[in-house]
Amino acid sequence: MADRYLHFSGTAPGRFLTRRLGLPQPARLRRLTPRTPSLDGPLLHLTAGDSALGDTLGPVLAATGQEVTGRADRPAGIVVDATGVATAAGLAEVHARLHPVVRSLAVCGRIVVLGTPPSADDHHRAAAQQALEGFVRSLGKEIGRGATAQLLRVVPGSAAPAESTLRFLLSPRSAYVSGQVVELTDATPDPVADWTAPLAARTALVTGAARGIGASVAAVLARDGARVICLDVPQAGEELSRMADELGGSALPLDITAPDAAQQIADAVPDGLDILVHNAGITRDRRLANMPAERWAQVIEVNLGSVLRTTDALLTSGTVNRGGRIVATASIAGIAGNNGQTNYAASKAGIIGLVRSLAPRTAADHGVTVNAVAPGFIETKMTAAVPFFIREAGRRMNSLSQGGLPIDVAETTAWFAQPASTAVNGQVVRVCGQSLLGA
Ligand code: NAD
């Protein structure tokens, strides 16, 4: 269902009218295409206080291939290293660095503030670092013109573990991700031979890949070099085979809730799996008072039960290779809750619980990371079925005043899936344009 308002407000009369009426003015987001492979301008590198990263951030920024400078008239990205900010007074440095330049940020620009994980033994440092979260989330809500703002927490010492994340956040791939806090570990990234095909020689399996977000995830993983196995229910067989053929991958028609689903997956990947994307999901909305037990059970089983079961089985059997990446699909409904979705929101909140609990253990025991994407309003068949007024509210009630596209979720998944994203573990990243729901 096309977003006519987005189109209209981008025309000259539309701009005039929406401005006069004080209506939202969504910018046309700059996503990754062969013509727009990177941001349109230099990166401005600023430091507030003494960096806790030594001299390591500059080379990592330079490795993105973009021009890095300490001064720019119209930067496409601004990176503020605030890892050294340890007191309330020190926060003035953040204001002093950003205040003079924030207005000059290019359309669809990026702001990334680097901080450190909150300290348990220094409450002044913890307060100053936590302050950065409120700062960035507010900045995301006010910068406008398609620009985004994020807080990236890194362990003091080296910026090297942050390379894949900075490449993602400072690129058109993260167009619909804003107001997020990502906390990295100090794990050393696996090397990447070619950043244009970072998933080369990797085998990925995507559930629910016949359409919507799953189809886009499969396509982006294939674009980034992975060999992709597309899984979906047997009823979707035709769409699934077409999808798999287009990507040069293979199709696995299978209901993920089947008792032997994990065994069938293991049989389909004799050399193991490097990337496992749990994307299949369903809704069966009703208010709790009207919800029969089977609607409750179906949603919990597809969205959560099968994810827990197949993850456990594929880890235990060693089907997920060392260095593997597991990505699960939550939802902002699992964070904020939603009228008529007690079953769905419970299942998606459960995914968040699974990711946070399992991630440290799989990293230690299997060298595997586990993360979740939490989409907001994404333009798919699922959301096209939503009644008009609720759909319009979903589209506009976020900092970017528009719905996301399946590719936005796919790009985030592909970042988690990269070999260089070893330090990204146990994270739940919302792909929601900084939705007001649960913000
Ligand atoms: P969709 O309905 O368009 O696609 C889901 C796919 O999953 C379908 O192809 C379906 O056949 C498949 N599937 C369902 N049950 C399955 C099963 N038992 N075994 C195998 N495959 C199964 O949905 P979508 O909008 O693309 O959503 C994809 C994921 O993103 C879901 O987990 C959904 O909950 C989540 N999500 C979507 C949105 C959104 O705005 N569209 C928002 C938040 C979260």
Side-chain angles (χ1 to χ4, degrees):
M1 184 86 38
D3 184 347
R4 294 212 178 88
Y5 180 87
L6 173 65
H7 179 73
F8 173 67
S9 61
T11 63
R15 247 190 316 273
F16 174 76
L17 202 65
T18 51
R19 206 169 281 154
R20 286 298 284 269
L21 295 174
L23 294 171
Q25 305 218 294
R28 193 158 286 280
L29 299 184
R30 191 186 159 92
R31 294 184 167 87
L32 184 86
T33 66
R35 281 189 301 118
T36 52
S38 61
L39 296 181
D40 193 16
L43 294 179
L44 185 57
H45 176 186
L46 306 171
T47 309
D50 296 326
S51 173
L53 301 173
D55 297 330
T56 60
L57 182 56
V60 171
L61 292 177
T64 64
Q66 279 161 265
E67 181 197 342
V68 184
T69 165
R71 230 187 158 82
D73 288 341
R74 186 146 289 280
I78 305 177
V79 179
V80 184
D81 180 355
T83 53
V85 175
T87 62
L91 288 165
E93 290 269 344
V94 178
H95 174 269
R97 295 291 91 75
L98 268 170
H99 168 72
V101 295
V102 70
R103 242 193 224 120
S104 66
L105 184 67
V107 172
C108 297
R110 301 279 185 269
I111 295 180
V112 176
V113 176
L114 281 106
T116 58
S119 156
D121 51 13
D122 179 347
H123 57 289
H124 285 259
R125 172 176 268 281
Q129 286 296 323
Q130 188 70 29
L132 296 175
E133 185 170 329
F135 172 78
V136 161
R137 290 199 202 272
S138 299
L139 199 54
K141 290 184 177 180
E142 69 184 40
I143 38 179
R145 299 186 309 139
T148 64
Q150 336 280 351
L151 174 61
L152 179 58
R153 292 191 173 131
V154 290
V155 177
S158 171
E163 179 168 352
S164 73
T165 303
L166 284 165
R167 281 176 178 267
F168 171 67
L169 295 178
L170 295 167
S171 81
R173 294 167 201 255
S174 57
Y176 198 61
V177 178
S178 193
Q180 297 306 289
V181 179
V182 178
E183 188 168 323
L184 302 182
T185 69
D186 59 359
T188 308
D190 293 349
V192 178
D194 175 3
W195 280 97
T196 62
L199 304 181
R202 303 243 146 181
T203 301
L205 180 126
V206 182
T207 71
R211 67 178 207 193
I213 293 172
S216 189
V217 169
V220 167
L221 297 182
R223 177 202 71 189
D224 284 356
R227 188 177 80 83
V228 182
I229 297 149
C230 302
L231 180 153
D232 211 300
V233 289
Q235 301 90 292
E238 222 170 273
E239 272 172 297
L240 188 67
S241 304
R242 199 174 334 111
M243 187 67 213
D245 287 350
E246 261 174 47
L247 304 179
S250 51
L252 182 56
L254 172 67
D255 186 327
I256 197 66
T257 63
D260 64 343
Q263 188 56 52
Q264 289 206 46
I265 293 173
D267 292 346
V269 287
D271 296 329
L273 208 52
D274 303 298
I275 301 161
L276 170 60
V277 183
H278 295 292
N279 161 81
I282 58 169
T283 51
R284 296 285 183 273
D285 297 356
R286 285 276 169 88
R287 291 208 173 129
L288 183 62
N290 303 324
M291 188 182 292
E294 58 279 14
R295 282 177 97 89
W296 174 273
Q298 282 167 345
V299 169
I300 297 289
E301 173 58 5
V302 175
N303 297 2
L304 181 61
S306 71
V307 175
L308 285 159
R309 215 169 33 246
T310 47
T311 300
D312 287 353
L314 293 172
L315 280 169
T316 308
S317 63
T319 305
V320 181
N321 293 330
R322 262 203 103 67
R325 306 280 179 249
I326 298 175
V327 184
T329 309
S331 163
I332 58 167
I335 297 167
N338 205 10
N339 186 346
Q341 290 199 315
T342 51
N343 51 356
Y344 182 75
S347 72
K348 295 301 188 178
I351 289 292
I352 296 174
L354 160 121
V355 164
R356 291 193 177 142
S357 169
L358 187 62
R361 282 179 285 130
T362 47
D365 299 347
H366 304 274
V368 169
T369 64
V370 188
N371 294 285
V373 278
F377 185 98
I378 305 295
E379 305 278 358
T380 63
K381 280 191 180 157
M382 199 186 242
T383 47
V386 171
F388 175 78
F389 285 108
I390 301 179
R391 190 169 65 235
E392 265 311 288
R395 278 176 174 154
R396 296 315 146 214
M397 281 172 57
N398 58 74
S399 299
L400 298 169
S401 302
Q402 59 194 287
L405 300 180
I407 191 149
D408 298 320
V409 182
E411 296 284 14
T412 306
T413 303
W415 153 55
F416 285 146
Q418 286 185 6
S421 293
T422 322
V424 189
N425 195 25
Q427 300 301 293
V428 178
V429 173
R430 295 166 52 141
V431 183
C432 66
Q434 199 179 19
S435 169
L436 297 181
L437 300 180

